[in-house]
Structure formats: C-alpha cells, structure tokens
Amino acid sequence: MTQTLTLRRPDDWHLHLRDGAMLQAVLPETTRHFARAIIMPNLVPPVVTSADAAAYRARILAALPPGADFTPLMTLYMTEQTDSADVVAAHASGLIAAVKLYPAGATTNSASGVRDMARVQPVFDAMAEAGVPLCVHGEVTDPDIDIFDREAVFIDRVLDPIRRRTPGLRVVMEHITTADACAYVRESDGTLGATITTHHLMINRNHILVGGIKPHYYCLPVAKRESHRTALVELATSGFPYVFLGTDSAPHTQANKESACGCAGVFSAPVTMACLAQVFDEANALDRLEAFASLNGPTFYRMPPNDATITLERGAPLDIPASLETGEGPVVLFDPGRPVNWHVTKA
Ligand code: NCD
Ligand code: ZN
C-alpha cells in the first residue's frame, strides 16, 4: 500500500483570490501547495481590461507571503464591450493567460457578463486566431431552466454552437458537475478541456440538502446527484489528458454563507491536495493524481510543468480547522464530512 506520494508541484486552473484583506488571508493557503493558478476576474467591479489585470496582478504579488514561489495567471472578464485588440495584446505580452466568459447572472458577481453571444463573436474569432484560451462558466441563466439542468442545457444551446462557429478556439469548460459534461469533454479533439473541483469529486446534492441545509456545500454549479459525482471521479482518475484540477476555491465570510440568501462558493484551497489524494486513493488511481493536478493543465495551457515537487503521506485522519480568520471575518473551510487519511508533508 502506498504510504507516500511525491508529485510535481500542482497548479490550480480556477481560483478566486478576491482582493484587500480577503486576498491577504487566502493567498498563502494557495501558495503553500500550488505553483500557479488561473485567477478569476469576478471582483466588484470585475477585471475587464488589461490595465485592470495588471493592477490586480500587482496587488496579488504585493500580498505574497515572503519567499513564496507563485505565479498568478491573470484572466479578463469578458463583457459585450470587450476589445479584441486589448485581449490579444495582453495575451501576447504574457499578462493574461485566458479570458473568462460568464453568462450574465450565472453566478457570484456575474451581472456584467455576456447576454448575447453574437456580440462577442469577433472576440472569439480573434482569440482563436491568436491562441487565447476561453474559460467558460457553463450554465444557462434562463429562469425556465431548472438549476440542476443548467449545465447540460448550456452545452447544447451555447457551448457547442460557439465551438462550431469558432474553429480552433481553445475552450476550458470549468468546474464541470454532470455526466453530460464528462461525455462532451471525452469527445474533445484537443481544443476542449475541462476542470473539476475537489468538492464536486466528494459531495453530491444530498450532502447539501439532507438532514438540514449545509450552506458551506453550496456553490455554483450546484452539486448534482450521485451518478454525476461518480462520472466526475471516473473522468478525473482516468488519466484522460484534457481534464485537470480547478479548485474553484471561492472564499466568502461565514456570515455571508450562513444567511437567508447565502453566497455560492466553497473554500477548499487549504485541504484540496489532501482531499484529492483521498479520492484518487479510493479509486485505486494514486498514480494518476499527478496527471490531473500537475501535468494535464500545463499541457492544455501550453506551459511547462513545474520542476518542484510536493509530497503527501497517508496517516491519521486530517484535522481540518473549522475556519480561517480573515480581516473580513472567518471563512469556513471545505470539510467533506468523512475521514481524509492523507496530508501534505513537504511542499
Ligand atoms: C464563485 C464565487 O464565489 O466567486 N462561486 C461559486 O459558487 N463557484 C463564482 C463561480 O465560479 O461560479
Ligand atoms: Zn469559480
């Protein structure tokens, strides 16, 4: 039985760092284990232009803990006013790694997202031409579509048409939660990738709703039924090359989560690597964790994998602290509610 596991240092291909006091508090939780992360642009106001991204990047670098070796991979928040030339120049200069598409109203701070995809087609075309990846929050927002169906409907109504209209556009379907999305990405010709979060590999919708509502398991896209979770675990642990880790670690204060209208988001950065080792161990796939967490993402984004390593050990159940103190109030950590027998020993 494997007791220790050494991997190339992982990257997080979907992360929310926020700003100000929250950024200061949560950034070390990522830099402890991860070398790079795709930084989500859904601040208030969002990171829309290359100037916004440069300023946000500088704030992140200023908040790094001493000695941290971490590269934030910046993204721009696509709006109907996004300027193709700004996107292409920002990517060519290395300032941004991708552009993020939020359908308007899909999730936290997405009010300025795109309503009419036809209006941003020239930007998609320019991105395809210049090789700029598009990160997609894949849920429709139509009020008549049930929240549990929003991802599957998005594939048919929005994502597949964008990809057909824009040959060569490299798209990451982020935080997939359904067997439908797993099947769709399995047909990838290499231009489509997908990220999966730690929590969607560990919880289903019963965890949110049975025995009392658990706001700390609520995120978007919302966790689906068990058969979907199983499909996600099968895909993540399969070694399939176009699927990789995006934690979607999304801190909100305890007060904002435990509310009559609680925010969507799960804060998983501190425990993600231990939890993933548990999931891959249970699937007899520890030898594939490195592909998922450290190799497939860099290949898709056309970056080299990290040379440094991280080591995990199997042992006594991980003691997960209830919350992280931030200048804005405590943030509750993701706890899968069952033993995690792995922990990071060297990073
Ligand atoms: C994210 C957030 O809080 O910013 N929330 C979430 O539930 N995942 C937004 C997002 O990625 O959808
Ligand atoms: Zn997110």
Side-chain angles (χ1 to χ4, degrees), residues 14 16 18 40 42 100 102 107-109 137 175 218-221 248 250 252 264-266:
H14 181 131
H16 298 269
R18 316 301 190 202
M40 286 295 120
N42 63 331
K100 174 72 187 243
Y102 288 102
T107 186
T108 311
N109 306 335
H137 183 109
H175 44 50
Y218 174 62
C219 71
L220 290 170
D248 196 11
H252 292 278
V266 168

PDB file of all heavy atoms in Angstrom, residues 14 16 18 40 42 100 102 107-109 137 175 218-221 248 250 252 264-266, ligand 1:
ATOM      1  N   HIS A  14      -8.365  27.216 -11.687  1.00  0.00           N
ATOM      2  CA  HIS A  14      -9.575  28.041 -11.460  1.00  0.00           C
ATOM      3  C   HIS A  14      -9.600  28.413  -9.980  1.00  0.00           C
ATOM      4  O   HIS A  14      -9.916  27.587  -9.131  1.00  0.00           O
ATOM      5  CB  HIS A  14     -10.842  27.270 -11.838  1.00  0.00           C
ATOM      6  CG  HIS A  14     -12.103  28.066 -11.644  1.00  0.00           C
ATOM      7  ND1 HIS A  14     -13.074  28.167 -12.611  1.00  0.00           N
ATOM      8  CD2 HIS A  14     -12.566  28.794 -10.601  1.00  0.00           C
ATOM      9  CE1 HIS A  14     -14.059  28.917 -12.169  1.00  0.00           C
ATOM     10  NE2 HIS A  14     -13.774  29.310 -10.936  1.00  0.00           N
ATOM     11  N   HIS A  16     -10.423  31.697  -6.973  1.00  0.00           N
ATOM     12  CA  HIS A  16     -10.879  33.036  -6.581  1.00  0.00           C
ATOM     13  C   HIS A  16     -10.020  33.513  -5.418  1.00  0.00           C
ATOM     14  O   HIS A  16     -10.014  32.885  -4.348  1.00  0.00           O
ATOM     15  CB  HIS A  16     -12.349  32.997  -6.146  1.00  0.00           C
ATOM     16  CG  HIS A  16     -13.266  32.571  -7.241  1.00  0.00           C
ATOM     17  ND1 HIS A  16     -13.865  33.458  -8.104  1.00  0.00           N
ATOM     18  CD2 HIS A  16     -13.666  31.340  -7.642  1.00  0.00           C
ATOM     19  CE1 HIS A  16     -14.597  32.796  -8.985  1.00  0.00           C
ATOM     20  NE2 HIS A  16     -14.495  31.510  -8.724  1.00  0.00           N
ATOM     21  N   ARG A  18     -10.091  37.009  -4.563  1.00  0.00           N
ATOM     22  CA  ARG A  18     -10.699  38.260  -4.057  1.00  0.00           C
ATOM     23  C   ARG A  18      -9.651  39.379  -3.999  1.00  0.00           C
ATOM     24  O   ARG A  18      -8.677  39.359  -4.723  1.00  0.00           O
ATOM     25  CB  ARG A  18     -11.366  38.054  -2.679  1.00  0.00           C
ATOM     26  CG  ARG A  18     -12.200  36.782  -2.532  1.00  0.00           C
ATOM     27  CD  ARG A  18     -13.340  36.686  -3.514  1.00  0.00           C
ATOM     28  NE  ARG A  18     -14.233  35.583  -3.172  1.00  0.00           N
ATOM     29  CZ  ARG A  18     -15.052  34.996  -4.048  1.00  0.00           C
ATOM     30  NH1 ARG A  18     -15.093  35.380  -5.306  1.00  0.00           N
ATOM     31  NH2 ARG A  18     -15.836  34.026  -3.671  1.00  0.00           N
ATOM     32  N   MET A  40      -9.484  34.113 -11.116  1.00  0.00           N
ATOM     33  CA  MET A  40     -10.785  34.551 -11.622  1.00  0.00           C
ATOM     34  C   MET A  40     -10.941  36.063 -11.493  1.00  0.00           C
ATOM     35  O   MET A  40     -10.498  36.658 -10.501  1.00  0.00           O
ATOM     36  CB  MET A  40     -11.905  33.840 -10.866  1.00  0.00           C
ATOM     37  CG  MET A  40     -12.045  32.401 -11.269  1.00  0.00           C
ATOM     38  SD  MET A  40     -12.550  32.275 -13.011  1.00  0.00           S
ATOM     39  CE  MET A  40     -11.193  31.345 -13.689  1.00  0.00           C
ATOM     40  N   ASN A  42     -13.752  37.918 -11.260  1.00  0.00           N
ATOM     41  CA  ASN A  42     -15.080  38.407 -10.851  1.00  0.00           C
ATOM     42  C   ASN A  42     -15.019  39.223  -9.559  1.00  0.00           C
ATOM     43  O   ASN A  42     -15.718  38.954  -8.597  1.00  0.00           O
ATOM     44  CB  ASN A  42     -16.087  37.260 -10.736  1.00  0.00           C
ATOM     45  CG  ASN A  42     -15.743  36.240  -9.667  1.00  0.00           C
ATOM     46  OD1 ASN A  42     -14.576  36.033  -9.365  1.00  0.00           O
ATOM     47  ND2 ASN A  42     -16.742  35.600  -9.090  1.00  0.00           N
ATOM     48  N   LYS A 100     -12.294  34.984 -19.450  1.00  0.00           N
ATOM     49  CA  LYS A 100     -13.361  34.251 -18.775  1.00  0.00           C
ATOM     50  C   LYS A 100     -14.721  34.700 -19.280  1.00  0.00           C
ATOM     51  O   LYS A 100     -15.028  35.898 -19.270  1.00  0.00           O
ATOM     52  CB  LYS A 100     -13.258  34.507 -17.261  1.00  0.00           C
ATOM     53  CG  LYS A 100     -14.397  33.923 -16.442  1.00  0.00           C
ATOM     54  CD  LYS A 100     -14.312  32.409 -16.350  1.00  0.00           C
ATOM     55  CE  LYS A 100     -15.554  31.835 -15.673  1.00  0.00           C
ATOM     56  NZ  LYS A 100     -15.261  31.150 -14.424  1.00  0.00           N
ATOM     57  N   TYR A 102     -18.591  34.592 -18.488  1.00  0.00           N
ATOM     58  CA  TYR A 102     -19.715  34.321 -17.594  1.00  0.00           C
ATOM     59  C   TYR A 102     -20.986  34.701 -18.324  1.00  0.00           C
ATOM     60  O   TYR A 102     -21.131  35.865 -18.719  1.00  0.00           O
ATOM     61  CB  TYR A 102     -19.663  35.204 -16.341  1.00  0.00           C
ATOM     62  CG  TYR A 102     -18.606  34.894 -15.329  1.00  0.00           C
ATOM     63  CD1 TYR A 102     -17.452  35.664 -15.260  1.00  0.00           C
ATOM     64  CD2 TYR A 102     -18.769  33.868 -14.405  1.00  0.00           C
ATOM     65  CE1 TYR A 102     -16.480  35.414 -14.298  1.00  0.00           C
ATOM     66  CE2 TYR A 102     -17.801  33.603 -13.445  1.00  0.00           C
ATOM     67  CZ  TYR A 102     -16.657  34.380 -13.397  1.00  0.00           C
ATOM     68  OH  TYR A 102     -15.698  34.137 -12.450  1.00  0.00           O
ATOM     69  N   THR A 107     -23.627  33.523 -11.806  1.00  0.00           N
ATOM     70  CA  THR A 107     -23.041  33.196 -10.511  1.00  0.00           C
ATOM     71  C   THR A 107     -22.630  34.466  -9.775  1.00  0.00           C
ATOM     72  O   THR A 107     -23.012  35.559 -10.186  1.00  0.00           O
ATOM     73  CB  THR A 107     -21.852  32.221 -10.703  1.00  0.00           C
ATOM     74  OG1 THR A 107     -21.365  31.788  -9.439  1.00  0.00           O
ATOM     75  CG2 THR A 107     -20.722  32.871 -11.480  1.00  0.00           C
ATOM     76  N   THR A 108     -21.863  34.311  -8.695  1.00  0.00           N
ATOM     77  CA  THR A 108     -21.415  35.440  -7.887  1.00  0.00           C
ATOM     78  C   THR A 108     -20.738  36.507  -8.766  1.00  0.00           C
ATOM     79  O   THR A 108     -19.814  36.186  -9.514  1.00  0.00           O
ATOM     80  CB  THR A 108     -20.388  34.935  -6.828  1.00  0.00           C
ATOM     81  OG1 THR A 108     -20.935  33.792  -6.174  1.00  0.00           O
ATOM     82  CG2 THR A 108     -20.077  36.009  -5.816  1.00  0.00           C
ATOM     83  N   ASN A 109     -21.190  37.734  -8.659  1.00  0.00           N
ATOM     84  CA  ASN A 109     -20.588  38.869  -9.373  1.00  0.00           C
ATOM     85  C   ASN A 109     -20.503  38.657 -10.889  1.00  0.00           C
ATOM     86  O   ASN A 109     -19.471  38.901 -11.494  1.00  0.00           O
ATOM     87  CB  ASN A 109     -19.183  39.205  -8.839  1.00  0.00           C
ATOM     88  CG  ASN A 109     -19.192  39.434  -7.349  1.00  0.00           C
ATOM     89  OD1 ASN A 109     -20.211  39.804  -6.778  1.00  0.00           O
ATOM     90  ND2 ASN A 109     -18.062  39.213  -6.706  1.00  0.00           N
ATOM     91  N   HIS A 137     -17.833  29.606 -17.713  1.00  0.00           N
ATOM     92  CA  HIS A 137     -18.777  29.164 -16.682  1.00  0.00           C
ATOM     93  C   HIS A 137     -19.977  28.612 -17.434  1.00  0.00           C
ATOM     94  O   HIS A 137     -20.769  29.377 -17.997  1.00  0.00           O
ATOM     95  CB  HIS A 137     -19.190  30.324 -15.760  1.00  0.00           C
ATOM     96  CG  HIS A 137     -20.109  29.876 -14.659  1.00  0.00           C
ATOM     97  ND1 HIS A 137     -19.712  29.810 -13.352  1.00  0.00           N
ATOM     98  CD2 HIS A 137     -21.387  29.425 -14.692  1.00  0.00           C
ATOM     99  CE1 HIS A 137     -20.724  29.333 -12.621  1.00  0.00           C
ATOM    100  NE2 HIS A 137     -21.741  29.103 -13.414  1.00  0.00           N
ATOM    101  N   HIS A 175     -15.190  23.801 -13.892  1.00  0.00           N
ATOM    102  CA  HIS A 175     -15.949  23.181 -12.795  1.00  0.00           C
ATOM    103  C   HIS A 175     -17.135  22.362 -13.287  1.00  0.00           C
ATOM    104  O   HIS A 175     -18.284  22.635 -12.942  1.00  0.00           O
ATOM    105  CB  HIS A 175     -16.371  24.209 -11.740  1.00  0.00           C
ATOM    106  CG  HIS A 175     -16.920  25.522 -12.238  1.00  0.00           C
ATOM    107  ND1 HIS A 175     -17.915  25.606 -13.163  1.00  0.00           N
ATOM    108  CD2 HIS A 175     -16.611  26.798 -11.913  1.00  0.00           C
ATOM    109  CE1 HIS A 175     -18.187  26.873 -13.390  1.00  0.00           C
ATOM    110  NE2 HIS A 175     -17.410  27.615 -12.650  1.00  0.00           N
ATOM    111  N   TYR A 218     -22.745  24.701  -0.629  1.00  0.00           N
ATOM    112  CA  TYR A 218     -23.448  25.332  -1.750  1.00  0.00           C
ATOM    113  C   TYR A 218     -22.470  26.133  -2.612  1.00  0.00           C
ATOM    114  O   TYR A 218     -21.778  27.028  -2.120  1.00  0.00           O
ATOM    115  CB  TYR A 218     -24.568  26.248  -1.254  1.00  0.00           C
ATOM    116  CG  TYR A 218     -25.224  27.036  -2.364  1.00  0.00           C
ATOM    117  CD1 TYR A 218     -25.894  26.380  -3.395  1.00  0.00           C
ATOM    118  CD2 TYR A 218     -25.149  28.424  -2.403  1.00  0.00           C
ATOM    119  CE1 TYR A 218     -26.467  27.094  -4.441  1.00  0.00           C
ATOM    120  CE2 TYR A 218     -25.729  29.143  -3.432  1.00  0.00           C
ATOM    121  CZ  TYR A 218     -26.381  28.476  -4.445  1.00  0.00           C
ATOM    122  OH  TYR A 218     -26.943  29.177  -5.476  1.00  0.00           O
ATOM    123  N   CYS A 219     -22.415  25.774  -3.867  1.00  0.00           N
ATOM    124  CA  CYS A 219     -21.590  26.524  -4.818  1.00  0.00           C
ATOM    125  C   CYS A 219     -22.282  26.420  -6.162  1.00  0.00           C
ATOM    126  O   CYS A 219     -23.249  25.681  -6.320  1.00  0.00           O
ATOM    127  CB  CYS A 219     -20.192  25.922  -4.920  1.00  0.00           C
ATOM    128  SG  CYS A 219     -20.222  24.353  -5.762  1.00  0.00           S
ATOM    129  N   LEU A 220     -21.779  27.167  -7.127  1.00  0.00           N
ATOM    130  CA  LEU A 220     -22.298  27.070  -8.495  1.00  0.00           C
ATOM    131  C   LEU A 220     -21.196  26.637  -9.437  1.00  0.00           C
ATOM    132  O   LEU A 220     -20.080  27.153  -9.304  1.00  0.00           O
ATOM    133  CB  LEU A 220     -22.895  28.415  -8.928  1.00  0.00           C
ATOM    134  CG  LEU A 220     -24.196  28.760  -8.196  1.00  0.00           C
ATOM    135  CD1 LEU A 220     -24.608  30.198  -8.481  1.00  0.00           C
ATOM    136  CD2 LEU A 220     -25.316  27.800  -8.600  1.00  0.00           C
ATOM    137  N   PRO A 221     -21.430  25.736 -10.356  1.00  0.00           N
ATOM    138  CA  PRO A 221     -22.660  24.982 -10.494  1.00  0.00           C
ATOM    139  C   PRO A 221     -22.906  24.117  -9.250  1.00  0.00           C
ATOM    140  O   PRO A 221     -21.974  23.580  -8.670  1.00  0.00           O
ATOM    141  CB  PRO A 221     -22.414  24.095 -11.720  1.00  0.00           C
ATOM    142  CG  PRO A 221     -21.270  24.732 -12.448  1.00  0.00           C
ATOM    143  CD  PRO A 221     -20.447  25.404 -11.407  1.00  0.00           C
ATOM    144  N   ASP A 248     -11.769  25.991  -7.932  1.00  0.00           N
ATOM    145  CA  ASP A 248     -12.856  26.942  -7.738  1.00  0.00           C
ATOM    146  C   ASP A 248     -12.967  27.315  -6.260  1.00  0.00           C
ATOM    147  O   ASP A 248     -14.061  27.607  -5.772  1.00  0.00           O
ATOM    148  CB  ASP A 248     -14.183  26.390  -8.267  1.00  0.00           C
ATOM    149  CG  ASP A 248     -15.241  27.472  -8.435  1.00  0.00           C
ATOM    150  OD1 ASP A 248     -14.887  28.662  -8.342  1.00  0.00           O
ATOM    151  OD2 ASP A 248     -16.413  27.125  -8.627  1.00  0.00           O
ATOM    152  N   ALA A 250     -13.442  29.377  -3.437  1.00  0.00           N
ATOM    153  CA  ALA A 250     -14.163  30.651  -3.556  1.00  0.00           C
ATOM    154  C   ALA A 250     -14.589  31.133  -2.172  1.00  0.00           C
ATOM    155  O   ALA A 250     -15.691  30.819  -1.711  1.00  0.00           O
ATOM    156  CB  ALA A 250     -15.378  30.474  -4.469  1.00  0.00           C
ATOM    157  N   HIS A 252     -16.003  33.041   0.918  1.00  0.00           N
ATOM    158  CA  HIS A 252     -16.989  34.032   1.361  1.00  0.00           C
ATOM    159  C   HIS A 252     -16.967  33.978   2.880  1.00  0.00           C
ATOM    160  O   HIS A 252     -16.743  32.912   3.460  1.00  0.00           O
ATOM    161  CB  HIS A 252     -18.407  33.662   0.885  1.00  0.00           C
ATOM    162  CG  HIS A 252     -18.601  33.754  -0.595  1.00  0.00           C
ATOM    163  ND1 HIS A 252     -18.861  34.936  -1.247  1.00  0.00           N
ATOM    164  CD2 HIS A 252     -18.576  32.810  -1.551  1.00  0.00           C
ATOM    165  CE1 HIS A 252     -18.996  34.708  -2.554  1.00  0.00           C
ATOM    166  NE2 HIS A 252     -18.812  33.428  -2.759  1.00  0.00           N
ATOM    167  N   ALA A 264     -22.817  31.650  -3.026  1.00  0.00           N
ATOM    168  CA  ALA A 264     -22.319  30.395  -3.607  1.00  0.00           C
ATOM    169  C   ALA A 264     -20.798  30.407  -3.569  1.00  0.00           C
ATOM    170  O   ALA A 264     -20.175  31.383  -3.977  1.00  0.00           O
ATOM    171  CB  ALA A 264     -22.797  30.271  -5.044  1.00  0.00           C
ATOM    172  N   GLY A 265     -20.201  29.309  -3.135  1.00  0.00           N
ATOM    173  CA  GLY A 265     -18.744  29.203  -3.161  1.00  0.00           C
ATOM    174  C   GLY A 265     -18.260  28.325  -2.027  1.00  0.00           C
ATOM    175  O   GLY A 265     -18.781  28.405  -0.909  1.00  0.00           O
ATOM    176  N   VAL A 266     -17.282  27.481  -2.322  1.00  0.00           N
ATOM    177  CA  VAL A 266     -16.692  26.562  -1.340  1.00  0.00           C
ATOM    178  C   VAL A 266     -15.213  26.906  -1.224  1.00  0.00           C
ATOM    179  O   VAL A 266     -14.529  27.021  -2.249  1.00  0.00           O
ATOM    180  CB  VAL A 266     -16.866  25.099  -1.821  1.00  0.00           C
ATOM    181  CG1 VAL A 266     -16.020  24.141  -0.989  1.00  0.00           C
ATOM    182  CG2 VAL A 266     -18.336  24.694  -1.786  1.00  0.00           C
TER     183      VAL A 266
HETATM  184  C1  NCD B   1     -17.782  31.681  -7.322  1.00  0.00           C
HETATM  185  C2  NCD B   1     -17.504  32.912  -6.468  1.00  0.00           C
HETATM  186  O1  NCD B   1     -17.851  32.906  -5.295  1.00  0.00           O
HETATM  187  O2  NCD B   1     -16.902  33.866  -6.960  1.00  0.00           O
HETATM  188  N1  NCD B   1     -18.771  30.899  -6.668  1.00  0.00           N
HETATM  189  C3  NCD B   1     -19.034  29.587  -6.867  1.00  0.00           C
HETATM  190  O3  NCD B   1     -20.019  29.084  -6.330  1.00  0.00           O
HETATM  191  N2  NCD B   1     -18.231  28.823  -7.593  1.00  0.00           N
HETATM  192  C4  NCD B   1     -18.178  32.078  -8.688  1.00  0.00           C
HETATM  193  C5  NCD B   1     -18.104  30.948  -9.668  1.00  0.00           C
HETATM  194  O4  NCD B   1     -17.031  30.478 -10.047  1.00  0.00           O
HETATM  195  O5  NCD B   1     -19.160  30.491 -10.107  1.00  0.00           O
END
